[in-house]
Amino acid sequence: MGRMGWSAIITFIGILALLGFLSASAAEAAAKDDRGWLGIYTEPVSPLPDIEGRLGGTPSLHGAECGLRVTAVFPDSPADQGGLQLHDIIIGLYGKPFTCPAESVRAIFTGALEGKQAGAPCPLRVIRNAVYKTMEINGEPVARPRQIEFWRDPSHTLEQLKSGDRLAGTAEVSQEILDLPVVLGLRPEARWPEPRVNATIYPPTRYRNSALTPLFWSLTEKYGFRAETEDLLKRLNRCHSGCDPFRLESMIYVHRNPFRLEAVSRHITDLFLNAQCSLQVLENASPLLAADFNINRSAVKRLIPLAIPVSTPSRRAHRRRLIQPLLHQIERVLQQAEQAHRRAFAALTDDEKRFLETERWNLSDAFAEDIYIHFDEDTGRFEKNKRLIELAQKIDYPALLEAAASLATLTDPLWAEEAGRFLRSIYSDTLAVEILLDQVTPAGRMLIGGTGDHWYRETDTAFIIDLGGNDFYSGNSGGNNGWDLPVAVCIDLCGDDAYESTTKGSQGAGCLGIGGLLDLSGDDSYIGMQWCQGVGYYGIGWIHDAGGDDIYRGRSYCQAVGLFGLGFILDHSGNDQYEGDLHVQGIGLAKGIGSLVDQAGDDRYYAKGVYPTGYGDAGIFDAWSQGCGMGFRTMASGGLGILVDGGGEDRLEAGNFSQGGGYYYGFGLLAARGAEDDTYIGSRYNQGFAAHQAVGVFIEEGGNDQYSTRQGVAQGLAWDECVTLFIDESGNDFYNGGQFFSLGASAHNSICFFHDLEGSDRYIYSPGPARAGGNDYHGGTSYSLFIDDGGGEDAYNAETYKNSVLRHTPEHGIFLDR
């Protein structure tokens, strides 16, 4: 394994110059986004309920035949401030009732708001289920403050009752019609300052446009919708007229200019796939987390292993003296990382640090339960999570990366191997002992394990190096332990080891700190519950497994996850298994990068989910896994989720929202190298997807691959101001697109590129590829470009879709088999 020189490192710090200019007709500089925003989710209702009871002279339905039930209200949104409540039914807007069919009411409602600016009145007429509550004790009415207390928490009032007291509470529900004077406000994204233009973010000549770009524009001209397409590009650019502080510039860059998304994605893939050690991964990822990051060369130096003594007379007597220089070397690195860690969190007060340590899991637990944390009805939990997100802005990410880069010098395989040889020579007469050294230093506890099988239970170790044996790790295992243990490293040189944890923040985990795990050989197993196996949560963590047929198992937030930080797994070889449920296997959450890179082997990836999907489909689960970048709607943009497989005959199965995709300003990437035959099984939003202002990429290099979905919405789709790229470079492939909206589809101001370059392929999808629209969310159009190249004998089960056919469908879909 080679090492990069500093000239290469500096080059890498400047890379990922992601994309160049948009065309002159779709200029980067967008007008400030002052579109009016209401802040609700709705569903159609028909027929309307009968209005009885306490009408009290309020207006009647006035001919309304259908309505929109409010299914969620954004906290502190214009709707919330205007008095709109959950479960209200909107039956009129601007004094006009909805008299249309139920299937049209949402389009009519959004159409009426189209073009309205922030500050415009938006009077709503609603039906509300009014609840009238009363309470008496011993027949006497109770004061209102005590009534409120009772209905919020009856147990406290009941505990205050005396013997013989009788409490009676009644709740009466009746429906009322109300007129609410709502005023539109700014969209959440528009409240933030604008990001830099693309030409300023990265050099504009770094990457070339996709080879499909000329064809894209020539087909646009051929069918006469260039003006609409230029408007579409402007709409995508307008998504960044305001930008929260968590949005990665790489995502902004490619979202503005879809034509260079392929070049950018391939370069990101190369960077992560070609890394040979954890330090290289950090160096390659650094520009994505902090554009101004630069490694401090005076602080981060490659360790020089101590020379192994030729002979060691009186070894027992002089052992401690011989080993001290190595221990001091390790201690200096740990202290150096701790110093950078302190700088990374220096802006936090002691109270804020306590809050982070005690409440941090609250955010990820709530998100695993329901991604719509901005609609959390538990207001106390919502406020805590909001504060957790806000505090992440105080982290000094360059300092955090410097701390990780310092610590990563200890997980350099070359240094670890030399250190192992040195230690074996020193302890040659006692190697079979389980623990050779257990020493507490100013930098933390250090353990040196022998070649015997040992059970590492410790949760306070800053440094472990084990020289051999089939060991069992149930402690922190290279995971930092909050503020008490800010940095930690675990190195195992050989043996079939088992890493198993029942606590969060272990097995190469950086949770409020930095953690790294290096395992050089053996068939190992990694088993954990949450936040383990190469994860960074307000920190940076990694696993580097250099060989063996390994098993990774976790429940949620495992196997390369980054949230307000960076988490990654680098696995060099072996036939490996990755198993998890939710938010696993290359997940980039807000201000985070999660990168799972498996360089070789016939691997298996499984991530099926925990909770039944919110779409209500029996047997389907939401997984959000396998190369997924996602954010917290209206609160924090998503990060970069990466899954790269370097070769082998692989099988990937996942639930909804998985296998190369983004959600809410996230960027998700799945790339598979090699000529072997791979199998992909999804369910909904899979295999190259994006939803809600996001970017998704799926690139498969070769082989006769199988793509299937348990439901639909797979194999290249973009929904709601998104950009998606799906590429299969070669092979006789089989695509089963399922039910609806698959195989190169776009809607609601989105762009989707689908490109199969070679082979005789089979497409099973009755609606046919290259669907485009509707676009009722925002008006305007979309663009789906589906191309099957290579001249193979392809088969389509959809009527009129055949070999050597070019066709155009409105709003706008282009199908081309050539």
Side-chain angles (χ1 to χ4, degrees), residues 246-253 288-289 591-593 638-640:
F246 304 103
R247 195 170 308 167
L248 299 184
E249 288 191 322
S250 59
M251 181 273 159
I252 297 171
Y253 211 65
L288 299 175
L289 270 177
K591 196 64 174 183
I593 300 176
L640 175 60

Side-chain angles (χ1 to χ4, degrees), residues 85-103:
Q85 296 181 8
L86 189 66
H87 307 307
D88 282 351
I89 300 175
I90 302 172
I91 60 172
L93 174 65
Y94 297 115
K96 297 180 180 179
F98 297 129
T99 57
C100 58
E103 58 267 22

Side-chain angles (χ1 to χ4, degrees), residues 409-579:
T409 59
L410 295 176
T411 58
D412 182 334
L414 293 179
W415 180 86
E417 289 170 350
E418 290 294 329
R421 281 193 286 269
F422 175 74
L423 290 170
R424 288 189 183 101
S425 73
I426 298 297
Y427 290 101
S428 59
D429 57 335
T430 57
L431 280 177
V433 174
E434 291 185 38
I435 293 296
L436 301 171
L437 178 82
D438 185 345
Q439 180 172 314
V440 177
T441 75
R445 186 177 183 182
M446 296 187 189
L447 295 177
I448 299 176
T451 57
D453 300 343
H454 182 64
W455 183 353
Y456 289 94
R457 309 168 187 254
E458 299 82 5
T459 61
D460 62 345
T461 50
F463 181 83
I464 297 174
I465 184 168
D466 186 273
L467 304 182
N470 301 324
D471 304 303
F472 178 43
Y473 294 85
S474 65
N476 60 306
S477 310
N480 82 294
N481 188 6
W483 307 120
D484 292 335
L485 186 66
V487 299
V489 167
C490 177
I491 302 170
D492 191 285
L493 299 182
C494 62
D496 300 334
D497 306 304
Y499 300 87
E500 302 185 12
S501 177
T502 57
T503 61
K504 300 175 182 177
S506 62
Q507 301 169 21
C511 300
L512 299 181
I514 313 295
L517 191 161
L518 171 66
D519 191 294
L520 284 180
S521 66
D523 298 335
D524 309 305
S525 65
Y526 302 88
I527 299 174
M529 298 293 290
Q530 286 187 327
W531 288 112
C532 58
Q533 301 164 16
V535 296
Y537 185 23
Y538 300 101
I540 299 176
W542 63 90
I543 289 178
H544 180 181
D545 191 292
D549 299 336
D550 307 307
I551 297 174
Y552 300 83
R553 292 192 175 104
R555 298 302 304 273
S556 59
Y557 304 107
C558 297
Q559 300 160 24
V561 182
L563 172 56
F564 308 131
L566 171 62
F568 64 90
I569 292 176
L570 179 62
D571 192 294
H572 280 312
S573 62
N575 301 324
D576 306 308
Q577 297 181 47
Y578 300 89
E579 301 173 6

Side-chain angles (χ1 to χ4, degrees), residues 56-78:
T58 56
S60 68
L61 291 175
H62 288 307
E65 297 178 1
C66 63
L68 289 167
R69 178 181 286 111
V70 177
T71 57
V73 180
F74 288 60
D76 200 34
S77 65

